[in-house]
Amino acid sequence: MNKESIRFNGYMIRNFRLEKDDNIPKEEQNSLNVRCSSYQKNDKGKTATYQVEIDVITYTKKSKINLVFDGFFEIPDSVDDEIKEYFLRVSAPAIIYPYARTFISNVTSFDADETVVLPIINFAEQE
């Protein structure tokens, strides 16, 4: 497979919510839950477009943050199904997660209370 054959076509913020709450339980503070999913959006003959969703939920001492973030990838039909599945499960989330991290850091940096910097995730270890 030629690595250049898979194309990243950008991302979209589907939903963002930041809720202030002074009563977040201690066991939830500094927690992070990241879920990833993907599906085929359309088929253009020899290439299909896939949408990869990252849903990030994190709690700080004073807020709950939820971000739903979509990345779009074109994958040629010639790519082996096993490689395509691995790419959508591991590589695609690894490509778009840094954009989600940056977005959350930038938005929360305007908050006088807390700037949130999400940890780096090795999606290969999440399998």
Side-chain angles (χ1 to χ4, degrees):
M1 180 189 89
N2 182 353
K3 288 183 181 181
E4 285 74 42
S5 63
I6 296 176
R7 294 178 44 120
F8 173 47
N9 289 336
Y11 60 87
M12 172 181 74
I13 298 165
R14 187 156 18 114
N15 187 27
F16 176 71
R17 185 174 182 101
L18 186 142
E19 297 176 51
K20 290 298 192 179
D21 184 351
D22 289 329
N23 298 312
I24 293 177
K26 204 163 192 72
E27 60 274 3
E28 288 185 357
Q29 293 177 13
N30 300 314
S31 65
L32 174 66
N33 183 8
V34 178
R35 290 177 291 175
C36 301
S37 60
S38 64
Y39 66 92
Q40 186 172 338
K41 190 171 179 182
N42 62 34
D43 192 345
K44 298 179 186 174
K46 295 181 182 180
T47 304
T49 300
Y50 290 84
Q51 185 168 331
V52 177
E53 175 185 296
I54 290 185
D55 186 356
V56 177
I57 299 172
T58 188
Y59 293 88
T60 67
K61 291 179 182 177
K62 298 180 181 182
S63 58
K64 174 186 178 184
I65 300 168
N66 182 215
L67 173 65
V68 180
F69 201 83
D70 295 333
F72 304 98
F73 298 87
E74 286 184 10
I75 303 176
D77 293 340
S78 61
V79 173
D80 180 72
D81 286 341
E82 191 174 311
I83 292 170
K84 187 183 307 182
E85 181 184 320
Y86 181 84
F87 178 84
L88 292 170
R89 205 176 59 250
V90 176
S91 300
I95 291 168
I96 62 175
Y97 179 69
Y99 293 100
R101 287 181 72 226
T102 300
F103 177 80
I104 288 173
S105 292
N106 286 342
V107 170
T108 60
S109 70
F110 293 108
D111 188 351
D113 290 337
E114 309 175 281
T115 297
V116 177
V117 179
L118 298 179
I120 295 170
I121 295 176
N122 182 342
F123 287 92
E125 289 181 357
Q126 302 296 315
E127 293 197 276

